[in-house]
Amino acid sequence: MAEEKSLNFIEEIIEHDLKSGKHTSIATRFPPEPNGYLHLGHAKSICLNFGLALKYGGKTNLRFDDTNPVTEETEYVESIKGDVKWLGFQWAEELYASDYFPQLYEFAVTLIKKGLAYVDDSTSEEMAAQKGTPTQPGTNSPYRNRTVEENLVLFADMKAGKYPDGSKVLRAKIDMAHTNMLMRDPVLYRIKHAHHHRTGNTWCIYPMYDFAHGQSDSIEKITHSICTLEFVPHRELYNWCIDNLEIYPSRQYEFARLNMTYTMMSKRKLLQLVNEKYVTGWDDPRMPTLSGVRRRGYTPEAIRDFCDRIGVAKRDNLIDISLLEFCVREHLNKIAARRMVVFDPLKVVITNYPEGKTEIMTSENYPDDHANVREMPFGRELYIEREDFMEVPVKKYFRLSPGQMVRLKSAFIIKCDDFVKDANGTVTELHCSYIPESRSGNDTSGINVKGVIHWVNAQTAVPVEVRLYDRLFHVEDMSSLEDDFRNHLNPDSLKVLPTVYAEPELAKAKLGEHFQFLRMGYFTLDTDSTAGKLIFNRATTLRDMWAKEVKK
RNA sequence: UGUCCUAUGGUGUAAUGGUAACACAGCAGAUUUUGAUUCUGCUUUUCUAGGUUCGAAUCCUAGUAGGACAACCA
């Protein structure tokens, strides 16, 4: 099948580079800073970077951009590696910007020797004042004309730890009147007497992003350095460093980051949600983190498919979260074993079924594979969903109501003969009769019913907990917010049902398995589960045309 | 009142100077022992104004709108 798939703009650039002979193979990198957990926005970048290398026969490095010791931790490194692997990608090399600190230092010395960098004693306030504004040029620092010799000594002393944090920086000497603010003598190195997660206390000066990223790309001979749009203005500085250092010319290309409705995807704010306990952790199933959606029951296949469908372009976007849910359902529908679980039980007594009798019914695990079945006990007393009975049925309601019949999935057709109410008027019990000839598989009753409902046998039902999730925020476009994002948390984002009734087979569930609870949604076992108490997370609901019908 | 980036249905993404298409969402119907799945059909689109051209979503100019840029963050 020669499926003609159109190329995104980066693929076009790569194919052009390959065709023209500029490159014979490509190298990309995924460069997270280990200061938080990966989220769906990172997934887009991961799929892009690794996907490109896979498609064009190149390689992708995993490179940690660890140039700021105060925010970075080993915990994050480990989670990031786990998430990339879970998504299904394998990096060529695991690298760290901190591995390049010695070389980066030498690069800085080279720039000083060329008269292209100087040590500045200005305070950050003074530097900000010198910087100008986007519409007004900046002014030169009084330290700008220090000699090469003086700068060399000062920079060496910075490295040697002779100065306190913030007292000096190394700046590039470019142009304080440049229209690109980033070219107004950007800071290259700053002093931080801080412990680094890998280099420990070896260094007290650390390179800034702009002095580390491009050079790291260059050292690794990355051909296409792909990042998000906010780095567009950095490209000029990226190229300036490479040009003046005369090193391998990696090239930067920028695409639009993923934005999704009802979703907040800023690492800083996600950290805030974690720290301030609005969620239980980075892997809270409501979080858009990869560890969160994994725990919730999303699959890597679904996320890769999603990343594929959203495309890659340069314009700002706001993806409808229903596309993600569609991808999740589409994959889960194929792989999830079916189970029956009653959430809000209503007792049903089959009055014409012998007391004490239990028989075994079989039900298919997957709708289109009738050979793959499990066993389910059936008895005189059952639970069905309270929702599946209406004393006074609304129009088009084809479940149970007085005198009406439904099919119990994989069992018998039953007819509602009577119901019992308590003092409050709440229905507590249904009295039904079953049609013995209607047994699933050899139904000779000739009766056709429209409604099919799920059920569990009361005697053998297994109590489990389910956790139902809704969107964390109730604002469609989080970027439109003018006040604090924490004011817009959805109070109903988590609903716990401590005791619901499952068919016995579900007790065998293992971590990582996916289930469809018939008519209730897709579920997976939560990591909080213990041997005595199984807890299931709802990944997503099923599509529900009836709910829409009812709304009308 | 600077520089840069962007502009195609409700949301995304294609169409690479030659009939604007695909997916999601929405709506309607068929099938169904999950009101699921599956299948069918439908609604809705090139920011504006000029220009180049036989022909413009595509190229050019201007305007408009949105976004980015003034961290010793990445």
Side-chain angles (χ1 to χ4, degrees):
Chain A
M1 287 219 297
E3 189 175 321
E4 197 95 358
K5 217 203 164 223
S6 56
L7 304 177
N8 66 49
F9 78 99
I10 294 174
E11 292 171 325
E12 281 180 4
I13 290 166
I14 289 174
E15 293 203 355
H16 179 264
D17 289 347
L18 256 18
K19 208 168 291 174
S20 72
K22 180 176 176 184
H23 299 297
T24 50
S25 69
I26 65 160
T28 60
R29 101 270 89 114
F30 174 62
E33 183 188 13
N35 68 344
Y37 280 58
L38 262 26
H39 53 59
L40 292 163
H42 294 110
K44 178 177 181 181
S45 174
I46 292 168
C47 290
L48 215 208
N49 277 294
F50 283 90
L52 252 15
L54 248 24
K55 178 170 181 180
Y56 295 106
K59 64 160 192 174
T60 306
N61 288 338
L62 173 61
R63 183 175 73 235
F64 291 94
D65 235 330
D66 56 349
T67 57
N68 184 4
V70 302
T71 56
E72 296 155 5
E73 292 172 28
T74 314
E75 177 200 344
Y76 296 130
V77 170
E78 294 309 315
S79 74
I80 289 167
K81 286 162 66 178
D83 286 344
V84 173
K85 279 190 211 161
W86 175 73
L87 249 196
F89 296 103
Q90 189 50 249
W91 50 87
E93 292 182 80
E94 176 186 334
L95 300 166
Y96 295 80
S98 54
D99 294 338
Y100 309 134
F101 283 172
Q103 190 161 1
L104 259 12
Y105 178 82
E106 290 308 320
F107 283 150
V109 170
T110 300
L111 248 29
I112 293 173
K113 286 182 179 164
K114 283 185 151 187
L116 293 173
Y118 63 98
V119 173
D120 195 335
D121 299 4
S122 303
T123 64
S124 54
E125 292 75 24
E126 287 165 343
M127 279 183 50
Q130 292 161 15
K131 198 101 186 179
T133 70
T135 53
Q136 287 172 300
T139 52
N140 287 350
S141 161
Y143 304 93
R144 197 173 198 260
N145 290 319
R146 290 219 255 227
T147 63
V148 167
E149 292 69 31
E150 197 182 351
N151 282 320
L152 250 15
V153 171
L154 255 16
F155 187 52
D157 287 348
M158 279 170 63
K159 182 193 177 214
K162 292 196 183 172
Y163 307 112
D165 287 9
S167 59
K168 284 181 167 51
V169 292
L170 181 73
R171 297 177 75 175
K173 193 172 181 176
I174 307 179
D175 177 6
M176 289 305 289
H178 204 287
T179 52
N180 181 347
M181 299 284 293
L182 281 156
M183 298 297 275
R184 322 243 260 228
D185 290 11
V187 172
L188 266 25
Y189 263 92
R190 75 287 215 191
I191 301 170
K192 275 180 194 278
H193 291 271
H195 183 270
H196 185 278
H197 75 114
R198 300 196 89 229
T199 61
N201 298 318
T202 306
W203 295 86
C204 64
I205 57 171
Y206 292 93
M208 297 288 290
Y209 166 84
D210 287 303
F211 198 67
H213 201 98
Q215 281 86 310
S216 300
D217 286 339
S218 180
I219 290 166
E220 294 172 25
K221 296 208 163 34
I222 299 301
T223 55
H224 302 263
S225 178
I226 298 161
C227 60
T228 46
L229 248 30
E230 62 268 32
F231 292 97
V232 169
H234 292 251
R235 188 174 61 230
E236 198 170 7
L237 180 53
Y238 181 104
N239 291 336
W240 183 90
C241 289
I242 282 176
D243 290 348
N244 286 291
L245 257 11
E246 300 172 60
I247 54 178
Y248 178 84
S250 296
R251 289 294 170 237
Q252 175 181 303
Y253 302 93
E254 311 87 7
F255 70 97
R257 67 171 341 125
L258 165 67
N259 299 300
M260 219 165 40
T261 54
Y262 303 103
T263 307
M264 215 258 323
M265 225 125 44
S266 138
K267 246 202 264 181
R268 207 192 88 242
K269 289 176 183 167
L270 292 177
L271 176 63
Q272 219 174 333
L273 292 179
V274 173
N275 285 341
E276 295 168 15
K277 311 269 188 232
Y278 290 102
V279 294
T280 58
W282 284 100
D283 69 342
D284 187 298
R286 294 166 294 181
M287 291 280 271
T289 51
L290 297 183
S291 52
V293 298
R294 169 171 65 228
R295 182 172 170 189
R296 180 162 172 164
Y298 289 14
T299 61
E301 290 89 341
I303 292 167
R304 279 188 257 124
D305 180 38
F306 172 69
C307 290
D308 219 51
R309 287 168 183 266
I310 59 179
V312 176
K314 295 189 75 160
R315 68 186 96 115
D316 292 326
N317 59 76
L318 184 62
I319 307 285
D320 194 331
I321 197 167
S322 64
L323 178 62
L324 209 213
E325 288 167 353
F326 168 83
C327 294
V328 169
R329 287 189 188 107
E330 185 172 64
H331 185 233
L332 255 18
N333 177 50
K334 287 185 206 143
I335 64 157
R338 269 58 177 178
R339 297 290 182 265
M340 291 200 229
V341 182
V342 172
F343 284 17
D344 186 10
L346 174 60
K347 190 174 176 182
V348 171
V349 179
I350 314 285
T351 51
N352 60 342
Y353 195 85
E355 228 156 316
K357 179 181 174 183
T358 300
E359 68 185 295
I360 299 299
M361 318 302 289
T362 60
S363 188
E364 67 277 7
N365 289 317
Y366 301 91
D368 46 9
D369 182 357
H370 296 276
N372 183 350
V373 297
R374 65 189 187 282
E375 297 185 334
M376 292 182 66
F378 181 89
R380 190 169 194 264
E381 292 191 357
L382 311 171
Y383 294 129
I384 65 165
E385 216 64 64
R386 182 165 290 277
E387 252 188 5
D388 289 336
F389 171 78
M390 279 189 101
E391 186 180 342
V392 184
V394 297
K395 72 281 173 209
K396 288 202 232 170
Y397 184 82
F398 41 82
R399 280 116 98 158
L400 233 36
S401 55
Q404 294 303 304
M405 293 195 277
V406 288
R407 155 82 58 188
L408 295 174
K409 169 73 183 172
S410 298
F412 299 97
I413 292 172
I414 58 171
K415 180 180 177 190
C416 178
D417 303 315
D418 198 9
F419 58 93
V420 181
K421 278 185 178 179
D422 66 11
N424 305 321
T426 308
V427 176
T428 56
E429 196 174 299
L430 259 34
H431 291 169
C432 300
S433 48
Y434 84 117
I435 317 295
E437 302 78 34
S438 67
R439 198 185 215 274
S440 278
N442 51 17
D443 182 347
T444 55
S445 71
I447 302 170
N448 254 325
V449 292
K450 190 113 168 116
V452 180
I453 63 174
H454 62 281
W455 54 276
V456 293
N457 180 38
Q459 276 214 333
T460 55
V462 178
V464 301
E465 175 175 314
V466 293
R467 296 178 180 173
L468 312 178
Y469 303 101
D470 198 355
R471 46 187 61 128
L472 237 196
F473 297 94
H474 49 228
V475 179
E476 183 165 8
D477 181 2
M478 293 296 287
S479 73
S480 69
L481 250 36
E482 275 163 23
D483 59 335
D484 195 304
F485 72 102
R486 289 168 297 183
N487 297 338
H488 302 277
L489 283 153
N490 174 9
D492 303 316
S493 59
L494 168 64
K495 192 174 168 196
V496 177
L497 269 34
T499 310
V500 302
Y501 297 94
E503 58 168 294
E505 188 74 13
L506 192 64
K508 300 175 187 165
K510 292 187 189 64
L511 240 34
E513 290 179 337
H514 300 276
F515 300 98
Q516 184 196 109
F517 294 176
L518 250 61
R519 307 203 297 143
M520 304 309 273
Y522 293 102
F523 289 80
T524 197
L525 197 61
D526 186 74
T527 46
D528 282 347
S529 299
T530 60
K533 183 172 195 185
L534 299 186
I535 300 169
F536 291 88
N537 294 319
R538 184 169 68 193
T540 184
T541 57
L542 262 31
R543 270 184 76 217
D544 191 352
M545 298 305 280
W546 174 243
K548 283 176 192 168
E549 187 69 36
V550 169
K551 243 182 232 171
K552 286 190 275 183

